[in-house]
Amino acid sequence: MKKNKLSYVYMKKCLNDPIFNLISSVADSRNMPAFVIGGYVRDFYLDRNSKDIDIVTLGSGIELAENVAEKLGNDVKVNVFKNFGTAMLRFGDLEIEFVGARKESYRMDSRKPIVENGTLEDDQKRRDFTINAMAFCLNKESFGQLSDPFNGISDLENKIIRTPLEPNTTFSDDPLRMMRAIRFANQLDFTIESSTFQAIKDNKDRLKIVSEERIIDEFNKILATSKPSVGIKLLSESGLLEEFFPELISLKGVDEKSGKMHKDNFYHTLEVLDNVCAQSDNLWLRWAALLHDIGKPRTKRFTDSTGWTFHGHDHLGAKMVSGIFRRLKLPMNEKMKYVEKLVQLHLRPIVLSQEVVTDSAVRRLLFDAGNEIDDLMMLCEADITSKNEKTVIKHLNNFKLVRKKLIEIEEKDAVRNFQPPVSGEQIMEFFNLKPCHQVGEIKNAIKDAILDGIIKNNYDEAFQFMLKKGEELGLNPRS
Ligand code: CTP
């Protein structure tokens, strides 16, 4: 944060956008005190570009929004949320929300507040963090003047997340704020002040009154940071993670038997996740990294001869994905299928790189991964977290070889988006068959022959192979 931003002149610059002058004159003409508050003010000091503007007024936020919209012109629509006493309008790329200053108290069993009109300070008090409780005045008389009753500026400078009121009050008012505290700490690289963090620990079970949608929204913001391990460790340390994501907690711990240990899969997972984040912003690839070993706790075995094994954790993990997505209200669509696929396949390139890399194994990997092959390779490289440098170098070199082969084979055989060169209809037509298992058998045999390199991926060779296979099955061509 630049110190000179504290100057009055600089604050006014933050309000340079003509929209603020317009709101200012509308508010003045109606004698309504009006302020910009919350995230927009915080982000101004942090040099973050924000398009969401929250306006608070002493009076009706809905009326102010309607008056502002009138001035802006006919095509500006106001969305009114009567129950909450708020109104929202879009102007260009700005989203502006208006609300009347409130004094709020929340019931123990719900996030829905009982609302009364209040002063600016009443409204600031009921906000989540000191850094989110600052406001700039918009009325002409004190345009640009900062109101900061809880020393948000000093917390911004010292990079601290702290609640304006006693933290138990702020969190029990709205338990989602416990997730927000950790999300902001992770996103902004701030520290959560100790009594605030203690209150999260003490109130963790209040998270159960918050909907999964809102929890996962915050969690996805943590996953979208450049180093989500920081936020996830805080979630774990505070006890919140256990409340909504027990499967991740089950990854924790190291067992030892007969002097043999396995790695702590929780911390390994976080390392893999950070590695992926250094390479890609794709949220769903990040989810795949988070869940790639999720099947390990339930497949863990020990024998004297093999030591610790997790056989089948890829398969079981992939099966767990849809249940986790459903419970967390994540999309049950192609995003979920993508994560499932990567979890299912995450061992394949590693196994491949440990063996002699045969063309047919590479072809099968390309066939199974399809368009996800590049993301899968990225995940697998991120999965090498050994502390032994020699092992890491060996694996990475083998991966280079696998990548090279993948390119060569795809150029030659085009199996990445495999389309059968002879279709089921053509097989039925040729042998005069109705749909039956023999059609599938011939189709599969052609596919396997291509993937195993017995024939090339083209119509002529596939047709000849079909003839041979039909003969083996005792089929006769249509006369
Ligand atoms: N707020 C709050 N408690 C919440 C959510 C929001 O007190 N549970 C207040 C804060 O003052 C916050 C403002 O409402 O600054 C706007 O909330 P929101 O748009 O959700 O968050 P931002 O702070 O703007 O941050 P981001 O856009 O990164 O979510």
Side-chain angles (χ1 to χ4, degrees):
M1 194 173 76
K2 291 184 199 114
K3 282 264 194 278
N4 67 358
K5 282 207 166 177
L6 293 175
S7 80
Y8 191 63
V9 176
Y10 215 98
M11 281 165 209
K12 281 192 169 176
K13 267 197 175 168
C14 153
L15 306 175
N16 256 351
D17 194 302
I19 190 74
F20 292 114
N21 276 329
L22 188 135
I23 300 172
S24 172
S25 68
V26 173
D28 277 344
S29 71
R30 304 217 44 209
N31 248 341
M32 292 172 91
F35 307 84
V36 191
I37 195 162
Y40 190 86
V41 179
R42 175 201 68 220
D43 286 346
F44 158 69
Y45 285 114
L46 291 174
D47 268 332
R48 293 166 94 223
N49 192 8
S50 177
K51 298 287 174 206
D52 289 347
I53 301 176
D54 289 303
I55 305 289
V56 70
T57 179
L58 307 188
S60 162
I62 297 175
E63 271 175 45
L64 182 60
E66 281 166 348
N67 287 310
V68 167
E70 251 170 54
K71 280 261 174 208
L72 286 172
N74 287 342
D75 51 341
V76 176
K77 300 264 166 306
V78 181
N79 292 321
V80 175
F81 307 96
K82 259 221 164 95
N83 290 347
F84 295 95
T86 64
M88 197 272 278
L89 59 85
R90 289 204 171 81
F91 184 64
D93 56 354
L94 299 175
E95 206 175 284
I96 314 171
E97 192 162 329
F98 295 79
V99 65
R102 292 177 289 193
K103 221 189 228 174
E104 282 186 11
S105 59
Y106 288 73
R107 293 188 296 261
M108 279 304 277
D109 56 343
S110 152
R111 288 190 71 247
K112 294 207 180 72
I114 306 157
V115 186
E116 281 173 56
N117 290 340
T119 62
L120 173 65
E121 186 156 342
D122 285 333
D123 192 280
Q124 287 170 302
K125 240 188 236 167
R126 52 157 279 274
R127 291 185 177 258
D128 52 3
F129 306 113
T130 57
I131 61 166
N132 288 344
M134 299 182 288
F136 284 135
C137 183
L138 287 180
N139 301 96
K140 203 163 178 194
E141 219 179 73
S142 1
F143 189 81
Q145 192 167 317
L146 176 71
S147 159
D148 180 21
F150 305 104
N151 281 322
I153 286 286
S154 123
D155 284 344
L156 269 185
E157 281 179 332
N158 297 313
K159 301 180 125 211
I160 286 176
I161 304 290
R162 183 201 317 267
T163 53
L165 297 179
E166 200 277 313
N168 287 304
T169 312
T170 302
F171 291 141
S172 70
D173 274 357
D174 178 3
L176 180 74
R177 291 169 170 170
M178 300 187 285
M179 294 289 299
R180 284 172 61 90
I182 290 174
R183 187 259 286 186
F184 282 121
N186 195 173
Q187 217 172 34
L188 306 177
D189 193 20
F190 277 33
T191 307
I192 303 174
E193 179 272 329
S194 65
S195 71
T196 301
F197 194 65
Q198 183 58 45
I200 299 181
K201 288 182 175 170
D202 297 342
N203 289 285
K204 64 178 168 53
D205 55 344
R206 297 266 295 144
L207 196 67
K208 58 175 163 296
I209 67 161
V210 180
S211 71
E212 296 287 359
E213 285 87 348
R214 304 208 67 209
I215 294 175
I216 213 62
D217 192 38
E218 289 299 326
F219 188 71
N220 275 339
K221 287 181 181 170
I222 290 175
L223 278 188
T225 62
S226 54
K227 208 172 170 204
S229 64
V230 172
I232 298 176
K233 281 180 195 162
L234 286 173
L235 287 174
S236 158
E237 212 183 304
S238 61
L240 288 176
L241 192 61
E242 177 115 52
E243 294 291 319
F244 70 97
F245 214 150
E247 295 88 347
L248 282 183
I249 298 288
S250 306
L251 290 170
K252 275 188 169 184
V254 177
D255 275 325
E256 190 185 336
K257 255 190 193 173
S258 313
K260 289 179 181 159
M261 282 164 74
H262 65 76
K263 62 185 165 205
D264 185 311
N265 288 305
F266 180 72
Y267 293 101
H268 162 72
T269 292
L270 295 188
E271 228 180 307
V272 177
L273 176 60
D274 283 350
N275 288 345
V276 160
C277 294
Q279 303 294 325
S280 165
D281 289 338
N282 177 349
L283 178 68
W284 306 105
L285 178 56
R286 292 174 177 211
W287 266 100
L290 187 70
L291 297 181
H292 79 286
D293 276 349
I294 207 74
K296 274 193 169 171
R298 285 166 57 192
T299 51
K300 181 157 96 178
R301 304 277 179 274
F302 181 86
T303 66
D304 283 325
S305 55
T306 58
W308 293 103
T309 60
F310 303 90
H311 287 311
H313 77 269
D314 42 351
H315 189 59
L316 178 69
K319 272 174 61 182
M320 290 167 72
V321 170
S322 62
I324 291 172
F325 265 53
R326 186 173 297 111
R327 190 190 72 231
L328 295 177
K329 302 283 190 300
L330 286 161
M332 298 299 288
N333 57 14
E334 74 287 347
K335 310 287 184 214
M336 188 272 286
K337 293 270 160 218
Y338 163 94
V339 175
E340 233 173 31
K341 187 172 184 179
L342 291 194
V343 174
Q344 172 76 58
L345 296 177
H346 82 271
L347 295 176
R348 290 274 296 278
I350 299 175
V351 172
L352 203 64
S353 73
Q354 281 162 350
E355 294 164 357
V356 182
V357 187
T358 65
D359 285 10
S360 62
V362 172
R363 251 184 244 110
R364 283 198 175 272
L365 180 61
L366 266 172
F367 174 77
D368 290 335
N371 279 337
E372 273 63 78
I373 188 68
D374 296 327
D375 291 354
L376 180 66
M377 292 303 292
M378 211 185 275
L379 173 61
C380 290
E381 281 172 355
D383 200 6
I384 304 166
T385 61
S386 164
K387 297 280 168 281
N388 181 336
E389 214 171 305
K390 271 195 189 149
T391 315
V392 173
I393 291 172
K394 195 184 96 194
H395 276 305
L396 289 179
N397 280 338
N398 281 349
F399 272 132
K400 269 191 206 146
L401 191 67
V402 175
R403 277 185 186 272
K404 198 167 148 251
K405 278 253 177 193
L406 281 167
I407 294 170
E408 275 169 25
I409 297 225
E410 180 55 21
E411 266 173 15
K412 192 156 61 87
D413 301 335
V415 283
R416 183 170 168 148
N417 284 311
F418 184 81
Q419 295 297 333
V422 176
S423 69
E425 286 75 39
Q426 286 167 317
I427 297 169
M428 287 191 282
E429 166 75 25
F430 187 82
F431 291 113
N432 196 20
L433 292 169
K434 296 234 161 357
C436 63
H437 75 277
Q438 284 165 319
V439 181
E441 211 174 308
I442 296 174
K443 254 182 96 173
N444 260 334
I446 295 172
K447 180 199 83 190
D448 284 338
I450 293 170
L451 295 181
D452 290 338
I454 297 166
I455 59 170
K456 290 246 153 39
N457 187 8
N458 63 42
Y459 178 81
D460 290 343
E461 291 196 30
F463 189 82
Q464 290 309 317
F465 192 83
M466 175 194 77
L467 291 182
K468 208 170 97 208
K469 191 71 198 167
E471 206 172 295
E472 271 170 42
L473 293 173
L475 300 173
N476 294 315
R478 183 196 284 268
S479 48

